[in-house]
Amino acid sequence: MGEGRRGTGGTEASYLWLWMMASRVKTWTRLLGVGVGVAGAGVLALSYINEDDRHTKRQFSRVAAAEKLNYRPTKPLPTRSQQLQSLSSVKYDVLVIGGGATGAGCALDSVSRGLKTALVEMDDFSSGTSSRSTKLIHGGVRYLQKAIMGLDIEQYKMVKEALHERANLLDIAPHLSYPLPIMLPVYKWWQLPYYWAGIKMYDLVAGSKCIKSSYAITKERALELFPMLKKDKLVGAIVYYDGQHNDSRMNLSIALTATRLGATVANHVKVVSLLKETDENGKERVCGAHVRDELTGKEMKVHAKCIINATGPFTDSIRKMDNQITKDICAPSMGVHITLPDYYSPEQMGLLDPNTSDGRVIFFLPWEGRTIAGTTDTPCPVTHSPSPTEDDIQFILQEVKNYLSPDVEVRRGDVLSAWAGIRPLVQDPNKTDTQSIARNHIVHVSEGGLVTVAGGKWTTYRSMAADTLDAAIEACGLDTVHATTQTDGLLLEGAHSWTPTMFIRLVQDFGLESEVAKHLAHTYGDRAFSVAKLASLTGLRWPIVGRRLHSGFPYIDAEVRYACREYAATAVDVIARRLRLAFLNAQAAEEALPTIVSIMAEELKWSESEKRRQLDAAVKYLQQEMGQNVNRASREKIPINLTKSEISEYVKRFNYLDTDKKGYISLNDLRASLKARDQDVPGETLHEILKEIDLNRNGQVEFDEYLQMMAAIKAGSISHSRFAQLAEMAEENQRTKVTVDRSGGGL
């Protein structure tokens, strides 16, 4: 195989051969029934890959250079208006188009080399694919398997590179990223050595960058660690380690770090066209971009010596601005994820389904206090607003059901949010299905000098950016302070003085709830103190400060104010990328919206009409992109399979609320029912309760809508309903009243 990219190719070639032999265990055991132990023993002896001296020296010099940049800036971030002013008045060395992980990574790599750098993003930082990932920082177990089985050296190099980048991300953003054990349950004896050998190979390729060594466990231990697991025919499990992170916050931290080092970054700024000029050789080259501020409509020209196209799924649209007849290089593929309640998985253990019913891979992971499951992999058109489909949601639920105990009822109504992301995979003309397309990235320089980076994966954003800047510097003749990348080991925003126990200081110094303090520390790192200073008094004895935006989540009012200082400009920016509430529970996000919009209006000086527009846009986002519409459609399709006695009971409950016998239940009916129980509920909450069941959205609940909801609850398409609880309470209240009247009210 020759020497590998990291200088360990000869040794790894031997390991690759051994795993190929181990991968035949399935066939051998079926035919011979023996030899499993021998095949596994060969891999067991391999436990470490030594990096060669040249790579060690190269890494040492890069880390030493990064340490010079690793000071903690204390100046406040420039405002968005200041950033826009710079865009129109400064001539840059590099203009990056795209504010996802790769684009932000390119901006950081560029500015850290001493280049005058700008970045524009048509929506918000991480608004596209980079906020809709599986939340893993990983090398790719699946890709390693394909690399070995297909003797694909490029995929193997990509996995090795990703494993290095995984370790780097865990180092440069320890507050945002952490190791996560992932269980691979085994239900056939022959699979134990097969999967064990493969996962050990994953450890070996990581070498010194291995997070923790993988291990095999018994059936009993597997059920102890993952009690929800299906135990029928379970023979054991393999546990290995990858990284996990808050993807959109990580993306924003990269962009903010670039800004701290002097880069100009601006979200909600769209490239309308590319600027061109003729060089001394009579050749037309790109020299900037004509951009538009999407918030104000103001247009301007941004001049730069080099333009980098890092727009993910929209790569080809920018390339066609440079050359109308250029061929497409991206093969977009849509992946859907769903969010489920926390009781679907242990707090500190994920699960991998390595072979779903259609050959794909499904992850089942704890994240931010909930459980996420996904992903699917389907070719799709490029769109700004990808939406999950019912088929994809049902596919994921069925795969989850296959691995969980029959005691755990997997219900459609437990889907709290569902989202779709478009992967910008690089098309290989020799392959047709997107599942076999590697995440390898390409860097291409057009005849007009446009530098395009495409493909790759979240984990490798930094190395992708380094390769891109190397190509840009050469193609555009840029003069740098540092010729090579400085970002390996460069700490990101919030990491400089963060410690795992920092949250205790937040509790003691500010009087925050412990849960809130932990959330702030792990989201903002050492910037959490700046957030806490903005927190409002609660009026309670404890906690002293930090008003929650929603009772079920640790997000507080101060975060909304701080988000505006970190360039959040719309309500969607906050609920989706700054707080992650939309991804965790779409209904909770909608309930928190009025408070969030009110706080943003104070910070950004919104008028009443702008507040309404922001609220409407955010609700539309939740409906279309976070699964509310597909959840509602799913509920409406449920047949009303209720018994006569059930219908009779529901008629009584409906009539107890509809005291005037109008044939529908209004907001006033709900208010009167609660008042009868001496309960005072805010009008906004009553509106939310009504909206849960008001299918035709006419502001009232008809009897058929009530029956439809009760049928959906019975079928599991709805996990619970506040309206149903109110109806039941109204019936109980009426029964209590009748009992007291008949007894004369005495003792």
Side-chain angles (χ1 to χ4, degrees), residues 206-506:
S208 62
K209 304 297 182 182
C210 181
I211 300 174
K212 291 183 181 180
S213 183
S214 60
Y215 54 92
I217 55 177
T218 63
K219 172 182 178 178
E220 291 72 23
R221 181 60 176 156
L223 292 172
E224 183 182 337
L225 293 173
F226 208 116
M228 309 83 173
L229 202 60
K230 182 176 71 175
K231 56 186 174 183
D232 185 35
K233 298 182 180 179
L234 181 69
V235 298
I238 312 293
V239 176
Y240 74 99
Y241 288 81
D242 259 326
Q244 191 175 48
H245 68 157
N246 181 341
D247 52 4
S248 69
R249 184 68 204 177
M250 184 75 79
N251 191 155
L252 179 62
S253 296
I254 299 166
L256 293 176
T257 305
T259 303
R260 299 282 189 190
L261 294 179
T264 301
V265 301
N267 56 350
H268 299 286
V269 174
K270 183 178 181 178
V271 172
V272 178
S273 62
L274 297 179
L275 304 178
K276 295 188 176 183
E277 64 182 6
T278 304
D279 64 14
E280 62 274 9
N281 299 318
K283 191 176 181 180
E284 197 174 55
R285 296 182 62 85
V286 292
C287 63
H290 184 180
V291 303
R292 179 176 63 241
D293 181 355
E294 296 291 85
L295 301 180
T296 64
K298 181 181 178 181
E299 298 189 3
M300 67 191 84
K301 293 181 179 180
V302 184
H303 296 276
K305 299 174 184 177
C306 176
I307 312 299
I308 294 176
N309 172 19
T311 52
F314 303 97
T315 292
D316 290 319
S317 63
I318 299 296
R319 293 177 73 240
K320 290 183 187 299
M321 290 183 185
D322 176 40
N323 182 357
Q324 286 278 352
I325 61 173
T326 191
K327 292 182 180 180
D328 291 350
I329 61 172
C330 274
S333 169
M334 186 171 74
V336 171
H337 294 81
I338 62 174
T339 305
L340 297 165
D342 58 345
Y343 52 74
Y344 271 86
S345 69
E347 187 178 352
Q348 294 294 333
M349 179 68 72
L351 186 141
L352 167 65
D353 177 358
N355 191 22
T356 62
S357 55
D358 66 352
R360 293 184 286 203
V361 170
I362 289 286
F363 285 99
F364 193 54
L365 309 168
W367 184 70
E368 299 288 323
R370 298 296 181 271
T371 301
I372 60 172
T375 178
T376 58
D377 193 358
T378 311
C380 67
V382 175
T383 173
H384 291 281
S385 306
S387 302
T389 67
E390 183 62 24
D391 287 345
D392 284 325
I393 293 172
Q394 290 294 346
F395 168 79
I396 295 172
L397 287 174
Q398 185 56 50
E399 294 302 324
V400 168
K401 190 179 297 185
N402 291 340
Y403 272 86
L404 294 189
S405 167
D407 297 337
V408 180
E409 184 183 359
V410 180
R411 304 181 297 181
R412 176 62 178 82
D414 283 338
V415 177
L416 304 174
S417 291
W419 72 89
I422 300 178
R423 300 186 189 93
L425 307 182
V426 179
Q427 179 69 64
D428 185 339
N430 299 315
K431 299 175 182 176
T432 55
D433 64 304
T434 57
Q435 285 128 292
S436 62
I437 295 177
R439 303 280 186 93
N440 301 48
H441 68 274
I442 65 165
V443 178
H444 176 263
V445 182
S446 72
E447 291 185 3
L450 177 67
V451 181
T452 295
V453 55
K457 54 189 291 185
W458 220 119
T459 307
T460 59
Y461 84 90
R462 193 205 64 81
S463 59
M464 291 168 63
D467 290 346
T468 304
L469 264 295
D470 287 343
I473 291 167
E474 181 180 353
C476 302
L478 302 176
D479 293 325
T480 64
V481 175
H482 304 285
T484 58
T485 182
Q486 305 297 299
T487 55
D488 200 344
L490 178 62
L491 297 179
L492 298 184
E493 175 90 349
H496 296 81
S497 55
W498 176 84
T499 66
T501 58
M502 197 185 78
F503 77 94
I504 298 174
R505 285 180 54 203
L506 290 168

Side-chain angles (χ1 to χ4, degrees), residues 571-645:
V572 174
D573 292 350
V574 172
I575 63 172
R577 269 87 60 180
R578 303 309 193 278
L579 300 184
R580 310 319 310 270
L581 194 51
F583 285 80
L584 294 170
N585 189 320
Q587 182 61 39
E590 185 173 354
E591 292 167 8
L593 263 176
T595 303
I596 291 170
V597 169
S598 294
I599 296 172
M600 293 189 75
E602 293 177 14
E603 292 291 320
L604 302 176
K605 312 303 179 188
W606 286 345
S607 63
E608 286 299 318
S609 60
E610 180 62 18
K611 287 170 66 175
R612 286 192 296 272
R613 193 184 74 81
Q614 289 289 336
L615 195 59
D616 291 343
V619 169
K620 183 179 179 181
Y621 170 82
L622 292 171
Q623 291 172 348
Q624 293 185 353
E625 299 186 47
M626 288 294 118
Q628 282 193 330
N629 279 349
V630 72
N631 284 352
R632 180 180 288 268
S634 170
R635 190 175 82 191
E636 292 174 358
K637 290 178 181 178
I638 298 295
I640 303 179
N641 293 328
L642 300 172
T643 65
K644 287 184 179 180
S645 61

Side-chain angles (χ1 to χ4, degrees), residues 532-719:
K533 288 176 183 177
L534 301 174
S536 301
L537 291 169
T538 63
L540 304 173
R541 186 172 182 179
W542 188 267
I544 298 172
V545 300
R547 292 181 181 176
R548 292 199 182 211
L549 299 169
H550 191 282
S551 59
F553 295 87
Y555 304 123
I556 61 173
D557 56 339
E559 294 181 81
V560 181
R561 300 188 189 281
Y562 194 73
C564 295
R565 291 156 172 74
E566 289 186 332
Y567 311 123
T570 70
V572 174
D573 292 350
V574 172
I575 63 172
R577 269 87 60 180
R578 303 309 193 278
L579 300 184
R580 310 319 310 270
L581 194 51
F583 285 80
L584 294 170
N585 189 320
Q587 182 61 39
E590 185 173 354
E591 292 167 8
L593 263 176
T595 303
I596 291 170
V597 169
S598 294
I599 296 172
M600 293 189 75
E602 293 177 14
E603 292 291 320
L604 302 176
K605 312 303 179 188
W606 286 345
S607 63
E608 286 299 318
S609 60
E610 180 62 18
K611 287 170 66 175
R612 286 192 296 272
R613 193 184 74 81
Q614 289 289 336
L615 195 59
D616 291 343
V619 169
K620 183 179 179 181
Y621 170 82
L622 292 171
Q623 291 172 348
Q624 293 185 353
E625 299 186 47
M626 288 294 118
Q628 282 193 330
N629 279 349
V630 72
N631 284 352
R632 180 180 288 268
S634 170
R635 190 175 82 191
E636 292 174 358
K637 290 178 181 178
I638 298 295
I640 303 179
N641 293 328
L642 300 172
T643 65
K644 287 184 179 180
S645 61
E646 287 172 333
I647 292 176
S648 176
E649 182 69 23
Y650 297 148
V651 167
K652 290 179 184 178
R653 293 181 184 179
F654 188 87
N655 288 335
Y656 287 141
L657 285 174
D658 180 21
T659 54
D660 298 333
K661 303 299 182 286
K662 306 179 297 298
Y664 63 84
I665 296 169
S666 66
L667 201 65
N668 287 333
D669 292 325
L670 295 181
R671 188 176 285 112
S673 177
L674 288 164
K675 188 176 181 181
R677 296 177 63 89
D678 294 323
Q679 293 183 7
D680 185 21
V681 177
E684 288 180 357
T685 303
L686 291 176
H687 276 289
E688 292 164 4
I689 294 172
L690 202 67
K691 282 171 64 177
E692 289 177 4
I693 186 173
D694 183 17
L695 298 178
N696 57 16
R697 303 188 183 182
N698 62 354
Q700 57 194 33
V701 176
E702 286 82 16
F703 182 62
D704 61 331
E705 291 176 320
Y706 178 53
L707 285 185
Q708 184 72 58
M709 181 191 65
M710 299 311 296
I713 291 175
K714 183 179 179 180
S717 286
I718 298 178
S719 60

